[in-house]
Amino acid sequence: MASRGRFGDSQPNGDGASSDGGPDLSDRQARIAVEAALTREYRFQQKLSQALTADVPEQGIAEVLQEHLGLDVAVEDPFGHVLARGGAGAEATYPRLTRAQRDRLVDAARRMSGPVRVRDQLASVAASRGTLLGLIVVLDPQGTLEPDGKTPELDARPGGPIAGALHAIGLATGALTLHLLHRRHLARTELRLRHDLVETVLLECDQDGLEAEVDRRVGRASALSHDLTGPHRVLAVRPRHGHWPDGEAVGDLVEQAARSLDMPYLGTLRGQTAILVCGTPRAWQTESGSATAPWSGRPTMGPGAGATRTSEPCSGSAWQAVHDAFTHVLQDVPAVGVGSFVDRPEHLPRSYREAMQALTVRTRQADPRGLITFEDLGLYRLLATPEGRREAGAFVEDWIGSLLAYDSERQADLVHTLGVYLDQGGNYDATAAALHIHRSTLRYRLQRVRELSGHDLAHTDTRLNLHVAVRAAVVADPAVLPASG
């Protein structure tokens, strides 16, 4: 009589056969399947751990999961940008979701413990305390990981292929969460350190102990992988309408622009203005690392003997690359003020003040968009300082206050007309053409200017003072007039 086990099971003999003579194949197959599944999962976890130590962990996670599942995988950031792809066809076949579809997917995934299917995709959310950090998206157009409903006991068993795949996606999502959370903490720490450093280097150095203070600043910058000893300029960037794009981190946008220019920088945000302490862009560096024009502000060497300046201003086409880089990432034309070139860290506060002067002039224009360097401010270099703006207000009131009051009351255009007339050197035909008015209309307006202001436009000194007053009105504190362009 066959012996019975504790729970009434037939006991197999040592050769794998049951006591009644029949082989116990189901137990052996199950044991082999479980052991194989455990071995495969152990190897997957090993590779996943190694992926976290790679240079680009997101790419490693995507590739390890793709290899394990045999399905294409993508890793996204919180805004839907693809960070990494796993699989030869992932880039070509990866179907992007609309903003509404993505929002619904993320909302559903947050409420469930595992991946959520949306059409041909399985998405798993990497989140921490309700904050979305990223997504793992598995492309499964054939429904490979979808239970067929015919054998639910096989689909759900621990060693089953579907349960194992879903478990692997969960492990990969956990690994991605840890990596992205760690990276976020590092980024916040570095951002704070960079902000603190920029705030420090923009302060005037005390002349007592100057060398030691400069060394401290250089050392702190070096710890953040930035060489503060080389040539620099300070840039002040303000987006159009004074607001940065929704859903985008200012630091990420600035980094994109700087990367496209191959320009090292340290940055901070003051209000809605990004302040960037910038090293020389790669395009304006010699092989030895010294700066060339236009970054250096030095004249270029012409074909003849000696140095010659180009006819265009510093803010002309030579600076178009900088202008275009920020326009591209902001998807609109910002206002950019550029401080003068400095070659010593202790001179950076001056470049910062000059960048803010240039930005003030740029934003006070009728069209505030575009880039202007301190070198191109001309008369505004005197007027755009805080003290100069206060003095400008009194000067403007003395010379064109009556015209400003008349324009405000009558919705007239006398100050603008006067400014264009003086810009054109007193030429009637050129002024009329620039204003798109008839000569008789121009003559009438200028007569009203004479009557209201009491000034003789034929007098040289009077015309000079009136011209300065019109320009000063742009930067007067507070501004009383947008410039004519």
Side-chain angles (χ1 to χ4, degrees):
M1 182 174 179
S3 62
R4 308 292 295 178
R6 287 184 60 187
F7 300 102
D9 296 330
S10 296
Q11 298 298 311
N13 297 322
D15 59 0
S18 62
S19 59
D20 58 6
D24 194 357
L25 295 178
S26 60
D27 286 350
R28 177 185 295 177
Q29 290 171 345
R31 184 171 63 252
I32 291 174
V34 170
E35 289 175 352
L38 289 174
T39 301
R40 189 163 179 261
E41 181 176 328
Y42 174 72
R43 290 174 180 171
F44 170 72
Q45 292 185 29
Q46 272 191 317
K47 292 181 179 179
L48 199 59
S49 298
Q50 293 170 358
L52 286 174
T53 64
D55 291 337
V56 185
E58 298 93 332
Q59 185 63 42
I61 291 171
E63 291 175 354
V64 169
L65 186 59
Q66 186 276 329
E67 179 185 359
H68 186 75
L69 299 178
L71 299 170
D72 291 339
V73 175
V75 176
E76 296 182 355
D77 71 4
F79 309 107
H81 305 135
V82 178
L83 300 176
R85 291 184 173 94
E91 186 167 356
T93 62
Y94 181 49
R96 303 305 304 277
L97 300 178
T98 65
R99 180 68 177 269
Q101 288 173 331
R102 180 180 173 79
D103 289 344
R104 288 196 295 270
L105 182 151
V106 171
D107 182 62
R110 278 174 165 165
R111 289 184 277 105
M112 298 181 65
S113 59
V116 175
R117 176 170 289 276
V118 177
R119 297 181 180 176
D120 296 341
Q121 304 178 17
L122 277 176
S124 183
V125 171
S128 174
R129 297 183 179 180
T131 300
L132 177 64
L133 302 174
L135 284 176
I136 287 182
V137 180
V138 178
L139 310 183
D140 184 26
Q142 304 301 321
T144 307
L145 303 183
E146 190 74 12
D148 58 15
K150 298 178 181 178
T151 55
E153 68 284 353
L154 296 179
D155 292 335
R157 77 170 189 249
I162 294 180
L166 297 181
H167 180 61
I169 295 173
L171 289 175
T173 304
L176 179 66
T177 301
L178 290 175
H179 164 65
L180 295 178
L181 192 60
H182 177 63
R183 190 177 70 177
R184 171 170 287 206
H185 288 326
L186 288 179
R188 287 179 174 175
T189 300
E190 182 173 348
L191 184 63
R192 184 169 61 252
L193 291 173
R194 286 175 174 267
H195 167 81
D196 293 344
L197 177 58
V198 173
E199 293 295 335
T200 298
V201 301
L202 296 182
L203 295 175
E204 294 286 354
C205 290
D206 192 338
Q207 293 305 306
D208 294 334
L210 174 63
E211 186 175 348
E213 176 60 23
V214 169
D215 287 344
R216 278 194 294 271
R217 296 181 181 187
V218 170
R220 289 178 60 186
S222 179
L224 294 172
S225 302
H226 185 88
D227 182 9
L228 203 61
T229 62
H232 282 73
R233 284 181 184 257
V234 176
L235 273 61
V237 182
R238 186 175 301 165
R240 192 180 184 188
H241 308 306
H243 299 290
W244 296 86
D246 292 336
E248 298 281 0
V250 176
D252 292 343
L253 295 172
V254 170
E255 184 177 354
Q256 290 178 43
R259 189 185 304 118
S260 69
L261 296 166
D262 200 1
M263 178 178 71
Y265 79 99
L266 296 168
T268 189
L269 192 65
R270 289 186 170 181
Q272 290 298 319
T273 302
I275 307 299
L276 312 178
V277 177
C278 302
T280 310
R282 179 66 61 183
W284 296 333
Q285 282 185 22
T286 64
E287 291 184 1
S288 63
S290 59
T292 64
W295 189 262
S296 66
R298 300 186 182 95
T300 57
M301 298 302 293
T308 58
R309 278 200 178 274
T310 57
S311 58
E312 67 180 21
C314 291
S315 303
S317 60
W319 284 88
Q320 192 67 36
V322 177
H323 171 271
D324 290 348
F326 286 100
T327 299
H328 176 71
V329 299
L330 292 174
Q331 300 180 354
D332 202 350
V333 184
V336 183
V338 182
S340 64
F341 173 87
V342 298
D343 55 8
R344 292 282 301 168
E346 62 265 34
H347 298 152
L348 284 169
R350 170 170 57 82
S351 187
Y352 164 67
R353 292 193 301 270
E354 293 165 349
M356 293 305 297
Q357 285 178 243
L359 182 66
T360 296
V361 173
R362 182 72 268 173
T363 56
R364 295 285 183 92
Q365 301 291 322
D367 183 359
R369 301 174 298 175
L371 179 149
I372 187 170
T373 66
F374 179 75
E375 292 90 333
D376 287 336
L377 289 184
L379 179 65
Y380 290 126
R381 291 173 67 165
L382 302 176
L383 299 175
T385 64
E387 299 80 8
R389 290 199 296 270
R390 289 192 291 269
E391 292 294 331
F395 186 82
V396 168
E397 181 61 32
D398 289 344
W399 281 90
I400 60 172
S402 58
L403 301 181
L404 290 168
Y406 183 86
D407 282 350
S408 178
E409 293 172 4
R410 306 293 183 86
Q411 300 299 306
D413 210 17
L414 295 185
V415 174
H416 178 55
T417 299
L418 175 61
V420 175
Y421 172 72
L422 295 172
D423 286 343
Q424 298 296 333
N427 185 298
Y428 268 65
D429 290 334
T431 303
L435 293 171
H436 305 290
I437 59 176
H438 196 272
R439 278 176 58 95
S440 60
T441 303
L442 174 61
R443 188 177 296 107
Y444 168 77
R445 290 185 183 179
L446 293 178
Q447 182 58 35
R448 292 296 292 152
V449 168
R450 295 184 183 94
E451 293 170 355
L452 291 168
S453 68
H455 296 307
D456 181 4
L457 299 184
H459 194 279
T460 303
D461 287 344
T462 297
R463 286 165 62 167
L464 173 61
N465 284 318
L466 286 172
H467 208 172
V468 172
V470 172
R471 295 294 181 89
V474 176
V475 295
D477 195 6
V480 294
L481 174 75
S484 57

